[in-house]
Amino acid sequence: DVKVTQSSRYLVKRTGEKVFLECVQDMDHENMFWYRQDPGLGLRLIYFSYDVKMKEKGDIPEGYSVSREKKERFSLILESASTNQTSMYLCASSLVRGFSQPQHFGDGTRLSIL
Amino acid sequence: ILNVEQSPQSLHVQEGDSTNFTCSFPSSNFYALHWYRWETAKSPEALFVMTLNGDEKKKGRISATLNTKEGYSYLYIKGSQPEDSATYLCAFPLGPIGAGKSTFGDGTTLTVKP
């Protein structure tokens, strides 16, 4: 089974801090994704990567950056955390650059910015 | 941005009731449709990948149908059980142009009362 592991289930940080959320997948997937999920807003794509060192902005990239130095690891960075970034963050991966493969999700990180 | 709509937003049923909900998507440039189940405190998991018009997929008491010409998919649950309580998401892959990205609906949250 595919395993997508997010480094923390719960995280509390302060406004202005630089925050790193880490995600690791163990199935050699090319695609990796970062989403945030807020009540009533569904899953919104922050950033997407289809290969090492490649990244594309999603629908809501402002205030975030990403890093993919190795195929299995995709990091989300909040450059200067703000209270409106309090949310549930989900990482996902999928097998190929295509449409028939579903995404495999991690358990999520519930991030609170105080 | 493509529009993927799910209805209803939430649903409360009694144990044993059968229920269904809808995912509407653009009927042009169809590649596939994915259904996910997202239980509280767990990660979303893929239920079905549907690719052909007229497809019907089944997993236990849950089944799904697909109409690509009119742009909708139905998810049916027969004899709902409390363990079926979850948010059900549909996702519309953007195909080769989207390089693995999908647009997600906001989900239907099902609560099954014992």
Side-chain angles (χ1 to χ4, degrees):
Chain A
D1 273 355
V2 175
K3 186 73 177 171
V4 179
T5 303
Q6 293 184 229
S7 52
S8 306
R9 288 298 297 270
Y10 301 94
L11 205 53
V12 179
K13 296 290 183 181
R14 296 208 172 274
T15 304
E17 280 191 69
K18 191 169 185 176
V19 180
F20 294 85
L21 302 183
E22 307 286 348
C23 176
V24 177
Q25 49 93 4
D26 65 358
M27 284 299 290
D28 205 34
H29 284 179
E30 290 85 356
N31 297 334
M32 295 189 76
F33 309 84
W34 275 107
Y35 297 92
R36 65 178 280 177
Q37 196 265 337
D38 300 288
L41 292 178
L43 281 177
R44 294 184 291 167
L45 181 66
I46 305 171
Y47 265 99
F48 159 61
S49 169
Y50 54 88
D51 204 348
V52 175
K53 296 191 188 295
M54 305 304 289
K55 62 186 179 186
E56 278 188 22
K57 292 180 181 179
D59 300 320
I60 50 164
E62 297 78 19
Y64 303 94
S65 63
V66 290
S67 171
R68 194 163 180 205
E69 297 295 320
K70 293 184 178 181
K71 192 174 186 179
E72 67 269 19
R73 186 180 296 270
F74 192 35
S75 303
L76 180 70
I77 304 157
L78 285 66
E79 298 290 345
S80 177
S82 63
T83 54
N84 63 12
Q85 292 177 309
T86 292
S87 187
M88 166 70 88
Y89 290 87
L90 282 165
C91 174
S93 70
S94 68
L95 185 60
V96 295
R97 188 189 300 198
F99 52 87
S100 64
Q101 299 296 326
Q103 294 180 22
H104 299 265
F105 287 86
D107 287 339
T109 296
R110 190 165 292 282
L111 175 65
S112 296
I113 307 295
L114 304 179
Chain B
I1 296 178
L2 296 175
N3 219 18
V4 176
E5 294 184 352
Q6 292 188 246
S7 62
Q9 188 175 13
S10 64
L11 204 49
H12 292 75
V13 301
Q14 290 293 136
E15 182 175 353
D17 287 351
S18 293
T19 187
N20 65 85
F21 25 93
T22 307
C23 173
S24 301
F25 51 85
S27 55
S28 58
N29 296 320
F30 178 85
Y31 296 96
L33 188 83
H34 300 161
W35 279 102
Y36 295 85
R37 174 168 60 198
W38 191 2
E39 296 177 67
T40 304
K42 295 186 178 180
S43 55
E45 60 174 19
L47 274 175
F48 302 116
V49 175
M50 311 190 74
T51 54
L52 297 174
N53 186 41
D55 245 358
E56 181 168 344
K57 297 279 176 85
K58 192 172 180 181
K59 186 181 284 189
R61 292 178 292 97
I62 304 177
S63 60
T65 60
L66 179 69
N67 184 324
T68 60
K69 293 181 180 177
E70 296 184 34
Y72 65 83
S73 176
Y74 291 142
L75 192 79
Y76 299 91
I77 303 179
K78 187 177 176 182
S80 303
Q81 300 296 309
E83 58 264 31
D84 296 326
S85 297
T87 295
Y88 292 84
L89 297 169
C90 66
F92 185 78
L94 300 180
I97 297 173
K101 288 192 290 187
S102 295
T103 296
F104 283 79
D106 289 346
T108 293
T109 298
L110 174 66
T111 304
V112 182
K113 300 175 188 174

